[in-house]
Amino acid sequence: MSAGQLHSLEELDQFVSQAGKRLLFKHSTICPISTTAHEEFLSFLQEQDVPAAVILVREDRPVSNEVAERYSIKHESPQIFLLEDGQVKWHTSHWKITKAAIAEAIQG
């Protein structure tokens, strides 16, 4: 499964309002750490069928800022969230974003 990009608050609302587990990844296209984390994220998605979306933090800053405000979680980049039924169940950032960490969070 691949991850679509969220460009608007409406797309964010639609994505997070759906039931079940979903992954949301905040990505900076100019950051080497984010590039590595994004590769781990995509590698996970190649093996697991989990709905997922990406927010490009520079290009879609209002959407990125809304995630930080809505869930009261300080913005970082890269950053990943596991949502379940619209609530954040797990999140991490930077080098802690690994395929194994995502798999563990999904199963937990």
Side-chain angles (χ1 to χ4, degrees):
M1 179 169 268
S2 64
Q5 287 184 26
L6 303 180
H7 299 291
S8 69
L9 297 180
E10 291 79 17
E11 289 174 347
L12 175 64
D13 288 342
Q14 184 178 23
F15 180 77
V16 302
S17 68
Q18 296 177 44
K21 293 181 179 180
R22 343 182 51 69
L23 291 169
L24 182 59
F25 184 85
K26 288 171 120 180
H27 181 38
S28 171
T29 54
I30 62 167
C31 171
I33 298 172
S34 194
T35 298
T36 300
H38 190 244
E39 289 169 358
E40 291 281 321
F41 171 67
L42 293 178
S43 178
F44 173 82
L45 291 180
Q46 287 178 348
E47 297 178 10
Q48 299 290 322
D49 188 20
V50 178
V54 174
I55 298 170
L56 298 181
V57 297
R58 289 169 47 96
E59 294 81 350
D60 294 307
R61 192 169 304 279
V63 183
S64 176
N65 291 344
E66 175 62 22
V67 171
E69 289 177 29
R70 183 176 297 190
Y71 298 110
S72 300
I73 297 171
K74 180 180 173 284
H75 166 75
E76 297 191 67
S77 175
Q79 190 171 33
I80 191 168
F81 302 86
L82 169 61
L83 303 168
E84 188 168 2
D85 302 327
Q87 301 297 313
V88 175
K89 297 297 182 186
W90 171 82
H91 67 93
T92 195
S93 66
H94 294 87
W95 297 112
K96 294 179 183 169
I97 300 172
T98 64
K99 183 177 171 182
I102 299 167
E104 187 176 324
I106 287 284
Q107 292 169 2

